[in-house]
Amino acid sequence: LLRGGGSRKSQQYTKQGTKQGMSRHEAVDILGLTEPFTKAEVIKAHRAMVQKLHPDRGGSNYLAAKINAAKDILLEQLDD
């Protein structure tokens, strides 16, 4: 589902899980966060969602891509 190489930030997601098409609001909703939040909270929420919806545990590739994109968007914005 992921394509490209290099660092995590350089990877692009396929389908509607693209980082470019996701708003901050959507990313916050996907991870179940409330404002304000820290990097640690983003990582913790991402980990919990991935454990529940990982494709190897019966989840879908699409949902995993959306969860990963949400985490990347929020972490990038917190770095700015």
Side-chain angles (χ1 to χ4, degrees):
L1 190 59
L2 296 176
R3 63 177 187 207
S7 73
R8 199 89 174 119
K9 289 184 179 182
S10 69
Q11 293 177 337
Q12 300 300 311
Y13 300 90
T14 59
K15 296 189 180 181
Q16 293 177 358
T18 60
K19 294 192 320 186
Q20 296 85 4
M22 185 182 295
S23 70
R24 176 185 173 89
H25 179 75
E26 184 180 5
V28 170
D29 285 346
I30 287 170
L31 293 180
L33 296 168
T34 56
E35 301 268 3
F37 49 83
T38 64
K39 285 184 182 184
E41 291 170 325
V42 171
I43 292 168
K44 182 178 178 181
H46 171 265
R47 186 172 292 131
M49 294 293 292
V50 167
Q51 286 177 349
K52 291 179 185 177
L53 300 171
H54 194 278
D56 290 345
R57 294 185 176 197
S60 74
N61 289 334
Y62 174 76
L63 292 177
K66 293 289 271 189
I67 294 165
N68 288 332
K71 178 196 74 164
D72 289 347
I73 287 169
L74 296 178
L75 290 179
E76 286 173 7
Q77 290 178 357
L78 287 172
D79 285 340
D80 293 339

Coordinates of all heavy atoms in Angstrom, one line a residue:
L1 N 0.8 -1.2 0.0 CA 0.0 0.0 0.0 C 0.9 1.3 0.0 O 0.5 2.2 -0.6 CB -0.9 0.0 1.2 CG -2.0 1.1 1.2 CD1 -2.9 0.9 0.0 CD2 -2.8 0.9 2.4
L2 N 2.0 1.2 0.7 CA 2.9 2.3 0.6 C 3.8 2.2 -0.6 O 4.2 1.1 -1.0 CB 3.8 2.4 1.9 CG 3.1 2.6 3.2 CD1 4.1 2.5 4.3 CD2 2.4 3.9 3.2
R3 N 4.1 3.3 -1.2 CA 5.1 3.3 -2.3 C 6.1 4.4 -2.0 O 5.9 5.3 -1.3 CB 4.4 3.5 -3.6 CG 3.7 4.8 -3.8 CD 3.1 4.9 -5.1 NE 2.6 6.3 -5.1 CZ 1.7 6.8 -5.8 NH1 1.0 6.0 -6.6 NH2 1.4 8.1 -5.8
G4 N 7.2 4.3 -2.7 CA 8.3 5.2 -2.5 C 9.2 4.7 -1.5 O 9.1 3.6 -1.0
G5 N 10.2 5.4 -1.2 CA 11.2 5.0 -0.3 C 11.7 6.1 0.6 O 11.2 7.2 0.6
G6 N 12.8 5.8 1.3 CA 13.4 6.9 2.1 C 12.7 7.0 3.4 O 12.1 6.1 4.0
S7 N 12.7 8.2 4.0 CA 12.1 8.4 5.3 C 10.6 8.3 5.3 O 10.0 8.4 4.2 CB 12.6 9.8 5.8 OG 11.9 10.8 5.1
R8 N 10.1 8.2 6.4 CA 8.6 8.1 6.6 C 7.9 9.3 6.0 O 6.9 9.2 5.4 CB 8.3 8.0 8.1 CG 7.1 7.4 8.5 CD 7.1 5.9 8.6 NE 5.8 5.6 9.1 CZ 4.9 4.8 8.4 NH1 5.3 4.3 7.3 NH2 3.8 4.6 8.9
K9 N 8.5 10.5 6.2 CA 7.9 11.7 5.7 C 7.8 11.8 4.2 O 7.0 12.4 3.6 CB 8.6 12.9 6.3 CG 8.4 13.1 7.8 CD 9.0 14.4 8.2 CE 8.7 14.6 9.7 NZ 9.3 15.8 10.2
S10 N 8.7 11.0 3.5 CA 8.8 11.1 2.1 C 7.8 10.1 1.4 O 7.6 10.1 0.2 CB 10.2 10.9 1.5 OG 10.6 9.6 1.8
Q11 N 7.3 9.2 2.2 CA 6.4 8.2 1.7 C 5.0 8.8 1.4 O 4.5 9.6 2.1 CB 6.2 7.0 2.6 CG 7.5 6.2 2.8 CD 7.4 5.1 3.8 OE1 6.6 5.2 4.7 NE2 8.2 4.1 3.7
Q12 N 4.4 8.3 0.3 CA 3.1 8.8 -0.1 C 2.1 7.6 0.0 O 2.5 6.5 -0.2 CB 3.1 9.3 -1.5 CG 4.0 10.4 -1.7 CD 3.7 11.6 -0.9 OE1 2.5 12.0 -0.8 NE2 4.6 12.2 -0.2
Y13 N 0.9 7.9 0.3 CA -0.1 6.9 0.5 C -1.0 6.8 -0.7 O -1.2 7.8 -1.4 CB -1.0 7.2 1.7 CG -0.1 7.2 3.0 CD1 0.5 8.4 3.4 CD2 0.1 6.0 3.7 CE1 1.3 8.4 4.5 CE2 1.0 6.1 4.8 CZ 1.5 7.2 5.2 OH 2.3 7.3 6.3
T14 N -1.6 5.7 -1.0 CA -2.4 5.5 -2.2 C -3.9 5.7 -1.8 O -4.2 5.9 -0.7 CB -2.3 4.1 -2.8 OG1 -2.6 3.1 -1.8 CG2 -0.8 3.8 -3.2
K15 N -4.7 5.8 -2.8 CA -6.2 6.0 -2.7 C -6.5 7.3 -2.0 O -5.8 8.2 -2.1 CB -6.8 4.8 -2.0 CG -6.7 3.5 -2.8 CD -7.5 2.4 -2.2 CE -7.4 1.1 -3.0 NZ -8.2 0.1 -2.4
Q16 N -7.5 7.3 -1.2 CA -7.9 8.5 -0.5 C -7.2 8.7 0.8 O -7.4 9.6 1.6 CB -9.4 8.5 -0.3 CG -10.2 8.7 -1.6 CD -11.7 8.6 -1.4 OE1 -12.1 8.5 -0.3 NE2 -12.4 8.8 -2.4
G17 N -6.2 7.8 1.1 CA -5.4 7.9 2.3 C -4.2 8.9 2.0 O -3.3 8.9 2.8
T18 N -4.2 9.6 1.0 CA -3.1 10.5 0.7 C -3.0 11.6 1.7 O -4.0 12.1 2.2 CB -3.2 11.1 -0.7 OG1 -4.4 11.9 -0.8 CG2 -3.2 10.1 -1.8
K19 N -1.8 11.9 2.1 CA -1.5 12.9 3.0 C -2.0 14.3 2.5 O -2.5 15.1 3.2 CB -0.1 13.0 3.4 CG 0.4 11.7 4.2 CD 1.7 11.8 4.8 CE 2.8 12.5 4.1 NZ 4.1 12.4 4.7
Q20 N -1.9 14.5 1.2 CA -2.3 15.8 0.6 C -3.8 16.0 0.7 O -4.2 17.2 0.8 CB -1.9 15.8 -0.9 CG -0.4 15.8 -1.1 CD 0.1 14.3 -1.2 OE1 -0.6 13.4 -1.2 NE2 1.4 14.2 -1.3
G21 N -4.6 15.0 0.7 CA -6.0 15.2 0.7 C -6.7 15.2 2.1 O -7.9 15.3 2.2
M22 N -5.9 15.0 3.1 CA -6.5 14.9 4.5 C -6.3 16.2 5.2 O -5.2 16.7 5.3 CB -5.8 13.8 5.2 CG -6.4 13.5 6.6 SD -5.6 12.2 7.5 CE -6.0 10.8 6.5
S23 N -7.3 16.7 5.8 CA -7.2 17.9 6.6 C -6.8 17.6 8.0 O -6.8 16.5 8.5 CB -8.6 18.6 6.7 OG -9.5 17.9 7.5
R24 N -6.3 18.6 8.7 CA -5.9 18.5 10.1 C -7.1 18.0 10.9 O -7.0 17.1 11.8 CB -5.4 19.8 10.7 CG -5.0 19.7 12.2 CD -4.6 21.1 12.7 NE -4.4 21.1 14.1 CZ -3.3 20.8 14.7 NH1 -2.2 20.5 14.0 NH2 -3.2 20.8 16.1
H25 N -8.3 18.5 10.7 CA -9.5 18.1 11.4 C -9.8 16.6 11.2 O -10.1 15.9 12.2 CB -10.7 19.0 11.0 CG -12.0 18.6 11.6 ND1 -12.2 19.0 12.9 CD2 -13.0 17.9 11.2 CE1 -13.4 18.5 13.3 NE2 -13.9 17.9 12.2
E26 N -9.7 16.2 10.0 CA -9.9 14.8 9.7 C -8.9 13.9 10.4 O -9.2 12.8 10.9 CB -9.9 14.5 8.2 CG -10.2 13.1 7.8 CD -10.1 12.8 6.3 OE1 -9.8 13.7 5.5 OE2 -10.5 11.7 5.9
A27 N -7.6 14.3 10.4 CA -6.6 13.6 11.0 C -6.8 13.4 12.5 O -6.6 12.4 13.1 CB -5.2 14.2 10.8
V28 N -7.3 14.5 13.2 CA -7.6 14.5 14.6 C -8.7 13.6 14.9 O -8.7 12.8 15.8 CB -7.9 16.0 15.1 CG1 -8.5 16.0 16.5 CG2 -6.7 16.8 15.0
D29 N -9.8 13.6 14.0 CA -10.9 12.7 14.2 C -10.5 11.2 14.0 O -11.0 10.4 14.8 CB -12.0 13.0 13.2 CG -12.8 14.3 13.5 OD1 -12.7 14.8 14.7 OD2 -13.5 14.8 12.7
I30 N -9.7 11.0 13.0 CA -9.3 9.6 12.8 C -8.6 9.0 14.0 O -8.8 7.8 14.4 CB -8.4 9.5 11.5 CG1 -9.3 9.7 10.3 CG2 -7.7 8.1 11.5 CD1 -8.5 9.9 9.0
L31 N -7.7 9.8 14.6 CA -7.0 9.3 15.8 C -7.7 9.4 17.1 O -7.2 9.0 18.1 CB -5.6 9.9 15.8 CG -4.6 9.6 14.7 CD1 -3.3 10.3 14.9 CD2 -4.4 8.1 14.6
G32 N -8.9 10.1 17.1 CA -9.7 10.2 18.3 C -9.1 11.2 19.3 O -9.3 11.0 20.5
L33 N -8.4 12.2 18.8 CA -7.7 13.1 19.7 C -8.6 14.4 19.9 O -9.5 14.6 19.1 CB -6.4 13.6 19.1 CG -5.3 12.5 19.0 CD1 -4.2 12.9 18.1 CD2 -4.8 12.1 20.3
T34 N -8.3 15.1 20.9 CA -8.9 16.4 21.2 C -7.8 17.4 21.4 O -6.8 17.1 21.9 CB -9.8 16.4 22.4 OG1 -9.1 16.0 23.5 CG2 -11.0 15.5 22.2
E35 N -8.1 18.6 20.9 CA -7.1 19.7 21.0 C -7.0 20.2 22.4 O -8.1 20.2 23.1 CB -7.5 20.9 20.1 CG -7.6 20.5 18.6 CD -6.3 20.7 17.9 OE1 -5.3 21.1 18.5 OE2 -6.3 20.5 16.7
P36 N -5.9 20.6 22.9 CA -4.6 20.5 22.4 C -4.0 19.1 22.7 O -4.5 18.4 23.6 CB -3.8 21.5 23.1 CG -4.4 21.6 24.4 CD -5.9 21.3 24.2
F37 N -3.1 18.6 21.9 CA -2.4 17.3 22.1 C -0.9 17.4 21.9 O -0.5 18.4 21.2 CB -3.1 16.3 21.2 CG -3.2 16.7 19.8 CD1 -2.1 16.5 18.9 CD2 -4.3 17.2 19.3 CE1 -2.2 16.9 17.6 CE2 -4.4 17.6 17.9 CZ -3.3 17.5 17.1
T38 N -0.2 16.5 22.4 CA 1.2 16.4 22.3 C 1.7 15.4 21.3 O 0.8 14.5 20.9 CB 1.9 16.1 23.6 OG1 1.5 14.8 24.0 CG2 1.5 17.1 24.7
K39 N 2.9 15.4 20.9 CA 3.5 14.3 20.1 C 3.3 13.0 20.7 O 2.9 12.0 20.0 CB 5.0 14.6 19.8 CG 5.3 15.7 18.9 CD 6.8 15.7 18.6 CE 7.2 16.9 17.7 NZ 8.6 16.9 17.4
A40 N 3.5 12.9 22.0 CA 3.4 11.6 22.6 C 1.9 11.1 22.6 O 1.7 9.9 22.4 CB 3.8 11.7 24.1
E41 N 1.0 12.0 22.6 CA -0.4 11.6 22.5 C -0.8 11.1 21.1 O -1.6 10.2 21.0 CB -1.4 12.7 23.0 CG -1.3 13.0 24.5 CD -2.0 14.3 24.9 OE1 -2.0 15.3 24.1 OE2 -2.5 14.3 26.0
V42 N -0.2 11.8 20.1 CA -0.4 11.4 18.7 C 0.1 9.9 18.5 O -0.6 9.1 18.0 CB 0.2 12.3 17.7 CG1 0.2 11.8 16.3 CG2 -0.5 13.7 17.8
I43 N 1.3 9.7 19.0 CA 2.0 8.4 18.8 C 1.2 7.3 19.6 O 1.0 6.2 19.1 CB 3.4 8.5 19.3 CG1 4.2 9.4 18.3 CG2 4.0 7.1 19.4 CD1 5.6 9.8 18.8
K44 N 0.7 7.6 20.8 CA 0.0 6.7 21.6 C -1.4 6.3 20.9 O -1.8 5.2 20.8 CB -0.3 7.2 23.0 CG -1.0 6.3 23.9 CD -1.2 6.9 25.3 CE -2.0 5.9 26.2 NZ -2.2 6.5 27.5
A45 N -2.1 7.3 20.4 CA -3.3 7.1 19.7 C -3.1 6.3 18.4 O -3.9 5.4 18.1 CB -4.0 8.5 19.4
H46 N -2.1 6.6 17.7 CA -1.8 5.9 16.5 C -1.5 4.4 16.8 O -2.0 3.6 16.1 CB -0.5 6.5 15.8 CG 0.0 5.7 14.6 ND1 1.0 4.8 14.8 CD2 -0.4 5.7 13.3 CE1 1.3 4.3 13.6 NE2 0.4 4.7 12.7
R47 N -0.7 4.2 17.8 CA -0.3 2.8 18.1 C -1.6 2.0 18.5 O -1.8 0.9 18.1 CB 0.7 2.8 19.3 CG 1.2 1.4 19.6 CD 2.3 1.5 20.6 NE 3.5 2.1 20.0 CZ 4.2 3.1 20.5 NH1 3.9 3.6 21.7 NH2 5.2 3.6 19.9
A48 N -2.5 2.6 19.3 CA -3.7 1.9 19.7 C -4.6 1.6 18.5 O -5.2 0.5 18.4 CB -4.5 2.8 20.7
M49 N -4.7 2.6 17.6 CA -5.6 2.3 16.4 C -5.0 1.3 15.5 O -5.7 0.4 14.9 CB -5.7 3.6 15.6 CG -6.5 4.7 16.3 SD -8.2 4.3 16.6 CE -8.8 4.3 14.9
V50 N -3.7 1.3 15.3 CA -3.0 0.3 14.4 C -3.1 -1.1 15.0 O -3.4 -2.0 14.3 CB -1.5 0.7 14.2 CG1 -0.8 -0.4 13.6 CG2 -1.4 1.9 13.2
Q51 N -3.0 -1.2 16.3 CA -3.1 -2.5 16.9 C -4.5 -3.1 16.7 O -4.7 -4.3 16.5 CB -2.8 -2.4 18.4 CG -1.4 -2.2 18.7 CD -1.1 -2.1 20.2 OE1 -2.0 -1.9 21.0 NE2 0.2 -2.1 20.5
K52 N -5.5 -2.3 16.7 CA -6.9 -2.7 16.4 C -7.2 -3.0 15.0 O -7.9 -3.9 14.7 CB -7.9 -1.7 16.9 CG -8.0 -1.5 18.4 CD -9.0 -0.5 18.8 CE -9.0 -0.2 20.3 NZ -9.9 0.9 20.6
L53 N -6.7 -2.2 14.1 CA -7.1 -2.2 12.7 C -6.0 -2.6 11.7 O -6.1 -2.4 10.5 CB -7.6 -0.9 12.3 CG -8.8 -0.4 13.1 CD1 -9.2 1.1 12.8 CD2 -10.0 -1.3 12.9
H54 N -4.9 -3.2 12.2 CA -3.8 -3.6 11.3 C -4.3 -4.7 10.4 O -5.0 -5.6 10.8 CB -2.6 -4.1 12.1 CG -1.4 -4.2 11.3 ND1 -1.1 -5.3 10.6 CD2 -0.3 -3.4 11.2 CE1 0.1 -5.2 9.9 NE2 0.5 -4.0 10.3
P55 N -3.9 -4.7 9.1 CA -4.3 -5.7 8.1 C -3.9 -7.1 8.6 O -4.6 -8.1 8.3 CB -3.5 -5.3 6.9 CG -3.3 -3.9 7.0 CD -3.1 -3.6 8.4
D56 N -2.8 -7.3 9.3 CA -2.4 -8.6 9.7 C -3.4 -9.2 10.8 O -3.3 -10.4 11.1 CB -1.0 -8.7 10.3 CG 0.0 -8.5 9.2 OD1 -0.3 -8.6 8.0 OD2 1.2 -8.2 9.5
R57 N -4.2 -8.3 11.4 CA -5.1 -8.7 12.4 C -6.6 -8.6 11.9 O -7.5 -8.5 12.7 CB -5.0 -7.8 13.7 CG -3.6 -8.0 14.3 CD -3.6 -7.2 15.6 NE -2.3 -7.5 16.3 CZ -2.1 -7.2 17.6 NH1 -3.1 -6.6 18.3 NH2 -1.0 -7.5 18.1
G58 N -6.7 -8.6 10.6 CA -8.1 -8.6 10.0 C -8.6 -7.3 9.6 O -9.7 -7.1 9.2
G59 N -7.8 -6.2 9.9 CA -8.2 -4.9 9.4 C -7.9 -4.7 8.0 O -7.5 -5.6 7.3
S60 N -8.2 -3.5 7.5 CA -8.0 -3.3 6.0 C -6.8 -2.4 5.8 O -6.3 -1.6 6.6 CB -9.2 -2.6 5.4 OG -9.3 -1.2 5.8
N61 N -6.2 -2.6 4.6 CA -5.1 -1.8 4.2 C -5.5 -0.3 4.1 O -4.7 0.6 4.4 CB -4.5 -2.2 2.8 CG -3.8 -3.5 2.9 OD1 -3.3 -3.9 3.9 ND2 -3.8 -4.3 1.8
Y62 N -6.7 0.0 3.6 CA -7.2 1.3 3.5 C -7.2 2.0 4.8 O -6.7 3.2 5.0 CB -8.6 1.3 2.9 CG -9.2 2.7 2.8 CD1 -8.8 3.6 1.9 CD2 -10.2 3.1 3.7 CE1 -9.4 4.9 1.8 CE2 -10.8 4.3 3.7 CZ -10.4 5.2 2.7 OH -10.9 6.5 2.7
L63 N -7.8 1.4 5.9 CA -7.8 2.0 7.2 C -6.4 2.2 7.8 O -6.1 3.2 8.4 CB -8.7 1.2 8.1 CG -10.2 1.1 7.8 CD1 -10.9 0.2 8.8 CD2 -10.8 2.5 7.9
A64 N -5.5 1.2 7.6 CA -4.2 1.4 8.0 C -3.5 2.6 7.4 O -2.8 3.3 8.1 CB -3.4 0.1 7.8
A65 N -3.7 2.8 6.1 CA -3.1 3.9 5.4 C -3.7 5.2 5.9 O -2.9 6.2 6.1 CB -3.4 3.8 3.9
K66 N -5.0 5.3 6.2 CA -5.6 6.5 6.7 C -5.0 6.8 8.1 O -4.7 8.0 8.4 CB -7.1 6.4 6.8 CG -7.8 6.3 5.5 CD -7.8 7.6 4.8 CE -9.0 8.4 5.2 NZ -9.2 9.6 4.3
I67 N -4.9 5.8 9.0 CA -4.3 6.0 10.3 C -2.9 6.5 10.2 O -2.5 7.4 10.9 CB -4.4 4.7 11.1 CG1 -5.9 4.3 11.4 CG2 -3.6 4.8 12.4 CD1 -6.1 2.9 11.8
N68 N -2.1 5.9 9.3 CA -0.7 6.3 9.2 C -0.6 7.8 8.6 O 0.2 8.6 9.1 CB 0.1 5.4 8.3 CG 0.3 4.0 8.9 OD1 0.5 4.0 10.1 ND2 0.4 3.0 8.1
A69 N -1.4 8.1 7.7 CA -1.4 9.4 7.1 C -1.8 10.5 8.2 O -1.2 11.5 8.3 CB -2.4 9.5 5.9
A70 N -2.8 10.1 9.0 CA -3.2 11.0 10.1 C -2.1 11.3 11.0 O -1.8 12.5 11.4 CB -4.4 10.5 10.8
K71 N -1.4 10.3 11.4 CA -0.3 10.4 12.4 C 0.8 11.3 11.7 O 1.3 12.3 12.4 CB 0.4 9.1 12.7 CG 1.6 9.2 13.6 CD 2.4 8.0 13.7 CE 3.1 7.8 12.4 NZ 4.2 6.9 12.3
D72 N 1.2 11.0 10.5 CA 2.2 11.8 9.8 C 1.8 13.3 9.7 O 2.7 14.2 9.9 CB 2.5 11.2 8.4 CG 3.2 9.9 8.5 OD1 3.7 9.5 9.6 OD2 3.2 9.2 7.4
I73 N 0.6 13.6 9.3 CA 0.1 15.0 9.2 C 0.3 15.7 10.5 O 0.8 16.8 10.6 CB -1.3 15.0 8.7 CG1 -1.4 14.6 7.2 CG2 -1.9 16.4 8.9 CD1 -2.8 14.4 6.7
L74 N -0.2 15.1 11.6 CA -0.2 15.8 12.9 C 1.2 15.9 13.4 O 1.5 17.0 14.0 CB -1.1 15.0 13.9 CG -2.6 15.0 13.5 CD1 -3.4 14.2 14.5 CD2 -3.1 16.4 13.4
L75 N 2.0 14.9 13.2 CA 3.4 15.1 13.7 C 4.2 16.1 12.9 O 5.0 16.9 13.5 CB 4.1 13.7 13.7 CG 3.7 12.7 14.7 CD1 4.5 11.4 14.5 CD2 3.8 13.2 16.1
E76 N 4.0 16.2 11.6 CA 4.6 17.2 10.8 C 4.2 18.6 11.2 O 5.0 19.5 11.3 CB 4.3 17.0 9.3 CG 5.0 15.9 8.7 CD 4.6 15.6 7.3 OE1 3.8 16.3 6.7 OE2 5.1 14.5 6.8
Q77 N 2.9 18.8 11.5 CA 2.4 20.1 11.9 C 2.9 20.5 13.3 O 3.1 21.7 13.6 CB 0.9 20.1 11.9 CG 0.3 20.1 10.5 CD -1.2 20.1 10.4 OE1 -1.9 20.0 11.4 NE2 -1.7 20.1 9.2
L78 N 3.1 19.5 14.2 CA 3.6 19.8 15.5 C 5.1 20.2 15.4 O 5.6 20.9 16.3 CB 3.4 18.6 16.5 CG 2.0 18.4 16.9 CD1 1.9 17.1 17.7 CD2 1.5 19.5 17.8
D79 N 5.8 19.7 14.4 CA 7.2 20.0 14.2 C 7.4 21.5 13.7 O 8.4 22.1 14.0 CB 7.9 19.1 13.2 CG 8.2 17.7 13.8 OD1 8.2 17.6 15.1 OD2 8.4 16.8 13.1
D80 N 6.4 22.0 13.1 CA 6.5 23.4 12.5 C 6.4 24.4 13.5 O 6.0 24.4 14.6 CB 5.4 23.6 11.5 CG 5.6 22.7 10.2 OD1 6.7 22.2 10.0 OD2 4.6 22.5 9.5

